[in-house]
Amino acid sequence: MISDLSDATPEQLLHAAEDSVREARLLEVRKLELLLAWADLHSGDPQAEPGAVLVRYGGPRLITLGGDGTPEVADLALVEMAIARHEHVLATRGALADAFDLRHRLPQTWAGIREGRCEVWVVRRVARMSRTLDRNQIRIVDEAVAAALDQAPSRILAIAEAKVIEADPVAHAARVKENQNQKGVWYPKPRPGAQVGEDSDQAGVGTVFARLDEADALAHQEAVEDLAAALAEHADVPEGAEPLGMDHWRAEAFAMLADPAAVLAFLNGIDDTPGTSEVEEVAQQPSRDPRRSAEIVVHVALDDTGALGPLARVESLGPRLLTQVSDLLGRHATIRVQPVIDLHTGRSVNGYEHPTDVKHRTQLRTVGDVFPHATSLFTRNGRQPDHDHTVAYDKHGPPGQTGDHNDTPLTRHHHRAKTHVPGYTVLQLGPDKWIWGTPHGLYRLVTGGGTRPITQAEYQAHAQQAIVLADDYAA
């Protein structure tokens, strides 16, 4: 423990910060363990006690808080524990339900967080996401989440979501159908007083909320994006003025869709002149298909029988039932199936720029930024990563420096830190495995399974295996 932080060295501050993360995680686990111990003390039926007040007169009773396979607890016993936890009893019930699920339904995940591998709030959310599954269905969720505990919270939750759907696709299909029966569009009116004052942003603008079928929403988004891009391209920008951003043009495009004839006239380059019907002029123009081509990457897997499983992963969207994928693809008149990309292959080239096929394989292998503890998913943020050479490119060096063996995909901010802050080191152990060192002596192993702290000795041992210009990936 550092008594005076102002006297600490940078190394001491970093290691103290790292230790505090683990201590905070274990403290949250301890709070759940205390809840479980209290529940275990009050797991007997209070109605079996001599002189117990009957339930119909308000007496205590056993209740089930967790999912299938979790024990019961006496309801009124939790009131005193809520007082000790400085919270409402409903919050205590919720925490105990999550703790029950973790201990009895997600044992591998529970073991992982007891080691301090993950923030407790993340696995508590997983417990709630999977509560409707029975004790057998939830096993695949537990196995997948436990293996992913070193990843960022967003990735853990994405994996959990996919496994919950996979465990019970029938229930998820019912959820989809129910949601599709609750579609709507709403035009809320401003609240009184919302148009004036320092924090007002309602004056002169309207708000629209829409709840659509997913395929319809994506088609609408595509139409708005196309029209907005065209409007921005043909807009007159006064000399010396900054061009308006795409948010503005998307709003203009959305508003313009209320007049389909005007949209068609604009897209076909027709002036809105009196005397001629827009519809007549459109009819005289060559037909134009406003749809743009798009690449949709769908990951599917076979089940034990060799048939397609019920679930697919659509990049930029997430897990979807095959029926949902069919609806999405049905929006396109022409579908071209590309060959499966073999992620076990690789190649190298002599130039500086990474070839497109190398970039594509790297992004499919890594999914996101490979900087330690990064959370960015390339298919979610829409921005292509910087493909940095793990070992700096030397124009006077040997051939084959660029390829799968020497590619570190990073977001721009992390790329800047690696390049311009002295002391960062990174070595590539394979096409999807890196070790990092920081300027003040923190070490991390980054793989497709997440980021794991390692010691300096482990870093040095891994460094002996580092791929510099490996022949395996220079074919």
Side-chain angles (χ1 to χ4, degrees):
M1 176 67 70
I2 305 172
S3 57
D4 188 348
L5 295 181
S6 62
D7 295 333
T9 66
E11 291 81 4
Q12 288 175 321
L13 289 174
L14 287 170
H15 287 290
E18 186 172 28
D19 290 342
S20 69
V21 170
R22 177 177 171 79
E23 291 166 1
R25 290 175 177 178
L26 294 180
L27 180 59
E28 290 299 313
V29 172
R30 179 65 173 170
K31 289 159 68 175
L32 293 183
E33 291 175 332
L34 290 169
L35 260 182
L36 290 168
W38 182 261
D40 292 340
L41 287 176
H42 299 87
S43 59
D45 185 359
Q47 288 297 303
E49 296 295 325
V53 177
L54 296 178
V55 172
R56 65 176 178 267
Y57 296 127
R61 60 189 176 91
L62 289 175
I63 56 173
T64 300
L65 298 175
D68 178 45
T70 59
E72 296 177 312
V73 63
D75 61 344
L76 299 185
L78 298 181
V79 175
E80 190 174 7
M81 176 55 78
I83 295 173
R85 287 169 57 90
H86 294 221
E87 64 188 13
H88 193 279
V89 69
L90 292 181
T92 299
R93 283 189 174 197
L96 180 56
D98 298 342
F100 273 151
D101 278 9
L102 287 166
R103 186 175 71 175
H104 295 275
R105 290 162 49 84
L106 298 160
Q108 296 181 61
T109 302
W110 177 239
I113 65 166
R114 294 181 77 186
E115 297 172 358
R117 292 175 55 198
C118 176
E119 299 294 336
V120 171
W121 71 263
V122 178
V123 294
R124 286 189 58 184
R125 185 169 175 187
V126 171
R128 295 192 294 274
M129 290 167 58
S130 57
R131 187 153 295 150
T132 58
L133 300 177
D134 67 35
R135 68 187 74 185
N136 295 315
Q137 292 170 328
I138 201 172
R139 290 174 182 170
I140 65 169
V141 179
D142 185 28
E143 183 176 347
V145 170
L149 287 179
D150 295 320
Q151 300 198 41
S154 60
R155 299 188 193 182
I156 296 173
L157 295 176
I159 290 170
E161 179 185 46
K163 289 302 178 180
V164 169
I165 297 172
E166 181 183 344
D168 194 352
V170 175
H172 189 68
R175 281 192 291 269
V176 170
K177 184 177 180 180
E178 180 181 359
N179 288 338
Q180 290 177 339
N181 289 333
Q182 297 176 357
K183 295 183 289 189
V185 178
W186 299 270
Y187 302 88
K189 303 297 183 183
R191 297 187 307 274
Q195 300 190 69
V196 294
E198 295 181 356
D199 299 328
S200 171
D201 60 357
Q202 298 296 310
V205 295
T207 302
V208 181
F209 295 101
R211 183 179 172 92
L212 310 176
D213 179 274
E214 184 174 48
D216 292 334
L218 291 172
H220 192 275
Q221 177 186 357
E222 191 171 300
V224 168
E225 292 286 353
D226 280 340
L227 183 54
L231 288 169
E233 181 180 354
H234 293 88
D236 292 328
V237 181
E239 186 176 352
E242 287 290 329
L244 296 169
M246 287 307 298
D247 282 342
H248 170 86
W249 292 116
R250 278 189 284 267
E252 292 292 324
F254 185 90
M256 194 175 182
L257 290 177
D259 187 353
V263 174
L264 290 173
F266 171 75
L267 291 177
N268 286 279
I270 301 171
D271 292 328
D272 188 9
T273 56
T276 305
S277 164
E278 287 180 344
V279 175
E280 291 175 349
E281 293 189 0
V282 170
Q284 298 170 9
Q285 299 296 318
S287 63
R288 170 177 176 163
D289 185 355
R291 292 175 300 179
R292 60 184 177 183
S293 62
E295 180 184 64
I296 300 177
V297 180
V298 180
H299 300 264
V300 295
L302 302 179
D303 61 20
D304 294 337
T305 66
L308 284 176
L311 194 66
R313 179 168 62 85
V314 183
E315 289 197 6
S316 79
L317 294 180
R320 294 295 186 272
L321 296 171
L322 289 185
T323 53
Q324 293 177 278
V325 175
S326 177
D327 291 340
L328 291 173
L329 296 179
R331 293 285 174 179
H332 298 269
T334 302
I335 297 174
R336 183 160 56 98
V337 179
Q338 300 279 22
V340 173
I341 299 174
D342 186 356
L343 301 184
H344 297 289
T345 63
R347 73 185 182 104
S348 62
V349 296
N350 296 333
Y352 174 80
E353 183 69 23
H354 284 87
T356 300
D357 65 309
V358 171
K359 292 180 180 179
H360 200 178
R361 280 194 300 272
T362 297
Q363 289 173 223
L364 289 174
R365 290 188 192 106
T366 60
V367 181
D369 186 351
V370 299
F371 198 83
H373 303 289
T375 61
S376 295
L377 300 176
F378 300 137
T379 57
R380 289 292 177 93
N381 61 27
R383 175 178 292 182
Q384 292 297 311
D386 293 345
H387 286 264
D388 188 40
H389 288 78
T390 314
V391 176
Y393 182 83
D394 181 0
K395 64 181 180 180
H396 302 298
Q401 296 180 60
T402 302
D404 298 69
H405 65 288
N406 197 26
D407 186 9
T408 300
L410 301 168
T411 54
R412 180 60 52 84
H413 188 75
H414 286 152
H415 188 187
R416 289 176 54 226
K418 172 185 177 293
T419 304
H420 300 299
V421 178
Y424 277 104
T425 60
V426 58
L427 296 171
Q428 192 166 352
L429 307 181
D432 58 353
K433 191 175 184 180
W434 292 260
I435 51 173
W436 288 81
T438 74
H440 292 96
L442 300 179
Y443 300 97
R444 295 292 187 266
L445 170 66
V446 178
T447 68
T451 301
R452 185 171 66 83
I454 57 176
T455 64
Q456 183 178 15
E458 289 175 310
Y459 177 89
Q460 293 171 345
H462 283 302
Q464 301 301 318
Q465 310 166 20
I467 297 175
V468 180
L469 293 173
D471 293 336
D472 290 346
Y473 293 95

